[in-house]
Amino acid sequence: MTRSADLWDKSLWYATADEPDPGSDAPADAKVLVVGGGFTGLSTALHLAERGVPVTLIEAEKIGYGASGRNGGQVIPGLKLDPAEMRARWGAEAGGRLAAFAGGVADTVFDLIDRYAIACGASRNGWIQGAHSSIALKAVHGRAREWEAEGAPVEIYDAQAMADATGAVGYTGGWRDMRAGQLNPLAYARGLARAARGQGVTVVTGKRVKAITRDGAGWALDLGGETVRGETVVLASNAYDATLMPKLARSILPVQSTIIATAPLTGNVAKSILPQGACASEVRKLAFYYRMTPDGRFAIGGRGATGPEHSQGLQDALEGGMRRMFPQLGDVRIEKAWSGHLALTMDHLPHLHEPEPGLWAVAAYNGRGVAMATGMGAAMAARVAEGTPLPLPETRIRPIAWHALRGPVMDVGVRYYWMKDKLGFAS
């Protein structure tokens, strides 16, 4: 069987990224050491460097090797919680600050792209979320009205408007968030690395951190024969490292996300799908997400498989769903298929930890990583450099009790959510 890791260079993003791989600098001591060359680590390093803080970033593979280079490239603001839920949980003031932060993370992405001229095929024509039942439609329209009350530009769709906006069949309605957009995520990651290096960050690739140990008042990273030292460490390896902080790894659930892309579409078929240039996903718990790409392909993804092997079953389900939702695609050929792992948490929120003074860990964006990880990196930089409070409070690391049995438990959970989705419930 094919491992997801082996599909790194088989993705459409790898084939079409305009930004070249940034290569590797020699390891160097710095005030802040960042572990992980995905969106969180890159954004943290870049925003620290903009403040004049010396930073070294270390990535075990290539820049964007993990979820940051393999995802659907949808830049969606917000968390899995809606603004009213944020205020109910953290209070009017703190919840309101979090809502403002979450609502602005797409701005952070597109501002960086503009400021550093990152060539990543970016466009900003909104994100559409579709409802598959009357129950789901009520939740979706409620979400749209909440964000509209926060000042977000939204459009609310009935079934016909949803069909016109997506070209898909089977939706009862939906909404469109105009703050959102899309990009080539691997090219974006590479562009962030280039920007960070331009601001003075040492960007090291192909060197795995073997251990993090206290070194006087600071920290030392063992690179397997080399050591780098710094005052502060930010661990941002997310679902791609279970060894540096095992307790952290046991607090998140890695789940496989798979994407397929068709051959380029032409004529009326191409014009019929997402004609306004938006990206889209569903409100289902096990939702599909889809978009058109700059070279005219239809790309659709979904998650649910567990384990390191690329799931042919999930790939087949994606193709079946694609042809059911978009019958105009006919027998169009699938030309690209790839997968990777993202991190989920039980409360559907990113987790921020400082288990020891000067040692930070950031993990789990629950499928909203492009915008949220970029925004969280900016927030982490402000916290480390200036002591600015984080938008989410840091918490203790709480391992999941059944983590060792996550494979069979999550398989049962997937079947349960498939059943709920078929019955029309909203996530």
Side-chain angles (χ1 to χ4, degrees):
M1 296 181 68
T2 303
R3 292 172 59 89
S4 291
D6 297 332
L7 297 175
W8 154 246
D9 58 355
K10 304 299 188 295
S11 77
L12 180 64
W13 313 139
Y14 191 95
T16 58
D18 290 334
E19 288 283 350
D21 189 288
S24 182
D25 295 329
D29 296 347
K31 185 172 183 178
V32 179
L33 306 175
V34 176
V35 182
F39 298 142
T40 303
L42 292 164
S43 179
T44 301
L46 175 56
H47 284 96
L48 282 168
E50 288 179 337
R51 291 170 165 82
V53 177
V55 182
T56 289
L57 179 145
I58 302 168
E59 163 58 44
E61 302 285 349
K62 296 285 190 180
I63 292 298
Y65 176 83
S68 294
R70 301 171 188 245
N71 65 81
Q74 298 193 3
V75 186
I76 305 171
L79 290 164
K80 296 295 185 180
L81 301 184
D82 294 329
E85 295 173 287
M86 298 180 202
R87 290 184 171 89
R89 181 162 180 171
W90 288 285
E93 184 178 348
R97 287 198 305 270
L98 177 58
F101 167 80
V105 289
D107 291 337
T108 304
V109 172
F110 290 106
D111 287 348
L112 287 172
I113 290 170
D114 289 344
R115 193 182 335 151
Y116 291 104
I118 298 175
C120 59
S123 63
R124 197 171 191 182
N125 297 306
W127 162 69
I128 298 169
Q129 186 177 43
H132 56 288
S133 69
S134 57
I135 298 172
L137 185 62
K138 183 178 179 181
V140 164
H141 282 178
R143 176 171 300 135
R145 293 188 178 99
E146 281 200 41
W147 281 113
E148 187 175 39
E150 300 289 325
V154 308
E155 297 174 357
I156 296 176
Y157 294 153
D158 61 15
Q160 185 57 58
M162 188 68 184
D164 293 341
T166 63
V169 299
Y171 289 120
T172 56
W175 74 297
R176 183 181 181 187
D177 186 341
M178 290 303 300
R179 298 171 297 176
Q182 56 192 312
L183 45 69
N184 177 322
L186 178 59
Y188 174 57
R190 290 175 175 177
L192 288 177
R194 176 175 58 84
R197 180 175 283 145
Q199 291 295 316
V201 175
T202 298
V203 178
V204 181
T205 59
K207 289 188 179 291
R208 187 173 299 277
V209 177
K210 304 291 186 180
I212 303 173
T213 56
R214 178 63 77 178
D215 183 60
W219 297 91
L221 303 185
D222 176 9
L223 305 184
E226 296 176 272
T227 300
V228 292
R229 294 175 171 82
E231 296 178 14
T232 301
V233 172
V234 177
L235 180 60
S237 49
N238 208 13
Y240 276 80
D241 194 333
T243 60
L244 278 180
M245 201 178 288
K247 189 176 180 181
L248 175 68
R250 295 196 302 273
S251 73
I252 62 175
L253 297 170
V255 63
Q256 188 181 126
S257 187
T258 298
I259 304 176
I260 58 175
T262 68
L265 308 178
T266 58
N268 290 334
V269 172
K271 294 176 183 177
S272 73
I273 299 175
L274 297 166
Q276 296 170 315
C279 57
S281 63
E282 302 174 327
V283 74
R284 301 176 200 263
K285 197 71 175 181
L286 299 174
F288 293 150
Y289 51 90
Y290 52 91
R291 57 176 287 190
M292 294 293 291
T293 66
D295 59 348
R297 301 170 189 269
F298 179 76
I300 183 170
R303 66 179 188 234
T306 59
E309 307 296 339
H310 175 78
S311 172
Q312 187 61 46
L314 179 54
Q315 180 177 327
D316 292 343
L318 287 171
E319 184 172 355
M322 177 192 80
R323 299 192 191 280
R324 181 180 68 253
M325 294 163 59
F326 296 92
Q328 65 269 44
L329 289 173
D331 59 355
V332 65
R333 188 172 68 258
I334 303 299
E335 287 195 346
K336 294 284 186 180
W338 68 98
S339 58
H341 287 82
L342 56 87
L344 306 180
T345 53
M346 297 300 292
D347 60 5
H348 311 297
L349 291 170
H351 286 183
L352 312 175
H353 310 292
E354 191 183 18
E356 296 186 52
L359 175 61
W360 289 92
V362 189
Y365 298 102
N366 297 275
R368 292 286 180 91
V370 181
M372 188 54 63
T374 302
M376 202 61 76
M380 182 57 67
R383 175 66 178 84
V384 169
E386 299 156 3
T388 305
L390 290 163
L392 276 167
E394 55 262 39
T395 59
R396 290 190 302 108
I397 300 174
R398 296 182 177 89
I400 298 168
W402 45 268
H403 195 271
L405 301 173
R406 63 191 179 278
V409 172
M410 291 175 71
D411 286 341
V412 170
V414 167
R415 288 193 288 271
Y416 168 72
Y417 285 123
W418 274 123
M419 180 186 69
K420 285 191 70 175
D421 288 342
K422 287 181 179 178
L423 292 174
F425 291 98
S427 63

